[in-house]
Amino acid sequence: MKVSATHRTQLAKIALMQVENLALNALDAVMVLSWVRLCTYLILNCPDGVLNVSFPGALSALARTKVFCDENLIETYLKTYAETQLITWDQQAKTISLPSDLGATARQIASRENGRKGGRPPGKARKGKLQDNRQSSIMQRWSPFFGQGDKLSSGLNEDGFYG
């Protein structure tokens, strides 16, 4: 599985929240592990961090396959996570989303949108001397060893350079 830089940042925030967040530290270890699994699933599999569980059996499938608990237990966990603002759970719309701490920043959202459009456009094609702005060409102009044998014998110019 390829994990982008944005995902790595969000996954690192999960690790930091496990240490720093007081509400998360007050929960049982099983609830913390379930929260980590749920948030990791939302980060890696939902592009905008929102999961729609409105169709029948979606919540129980999520509980069985990703969080590894039963449906009644995940509903209890989601209520607790929503109360402590560790996750956003809209019961009417049946959506689960990441908390604001783990959500994508404006810069990350703009980068994703730019990537969907094809990324940065290529630069202008330059021809001739303008294209070759490498340092090697500068070294060739100032070095006495690249085709400037006649200038080498003349010594330094008034600026103190050969050539």
Side-chain angles (χ1 to χ4, degrees):
M1 174 191 309
K2 188 174 181 180
V3 180
S4 69
T6 303
H7 292 151
R8 283 192 300 269
T9 303
Q10 289 175 318
L11 293 171
K13 286 181 184 178
I14 288 177
L16 285 174
M17 282 183 73
Q18 290 179 44
V19 176
E20 296 174 349
N21 193 317
L22 295 177
L24 197 56
N25 288 331
L27 299 177
D28 293 335
V30 175
M31 287 185 76
V32 173
L33 181 61
S34 298
W35 177 81
V36 169
R37 288 179 177 161
L38 183 62
C39 287
T40 303
Y41 179 78
L42 291 174
I43 288 170
L44 297 178
N45 297 309
C46 302
D48 54 354
V50 178
L51 179 65
N52 185 2
V53 289
S54 62
F55 55 93
L59 193 59
S60 63
L62 177 70
R64 268 193 331 270
T65 59
K66 299 301 174 191
V67 185
F68 304 113
C69 63
D70 63 351
E71 187 176 356
N72 294 331
L73 196 56
I74 196 169
E75 287 180 2
T76 306
Y77 286 174
L78 288 174
K79 287 178 185 174
T80 305
Y81 298 150
E83 289 171 0
T84 56
Q85 298 178 351
L86 292 171
I87 212 159
T88 306
W89 184 40
D90 188 359
Q91 290 179 316
Q92 284 77 27
K94 297 282 187 180
T95 57
I96 303 169
S97 60
L98 292 170
S100 60
D101 296 344
L102 294 176
T105 63
R107 181 178 180 187
Q108 292 166 343
I109 293 169
S111 295
R112 286 181 193 167
E113 188 62 33
N114 190 25
R116 285 189 195 109
K117 294 178 184 176
R120 183 184 297 254
K124 297 178 185 176
R126 296 181 180 154
K127 296 179 183 175
K129 205 136 177 103
L130 286 175
Q131 184 180 8
D132 193 16
N133 288 332
R134 296 175 301 184
Q135 189 173 357
S136 64
S137 65
I138 295 171
M139 293 303 294
Q140 288 175 359
R141 280 185 285 199
W142 293 104
S143 176
F145 303 109
F146 291 103
Q148 298 181 6
D150 56 336
K151 295 181 182 178
L152 183 61
S153 60
S154 67
L156 298 172
N157 62 11
E158 61 272 359
D159 295 327
F161 295 106
Y162 287 106

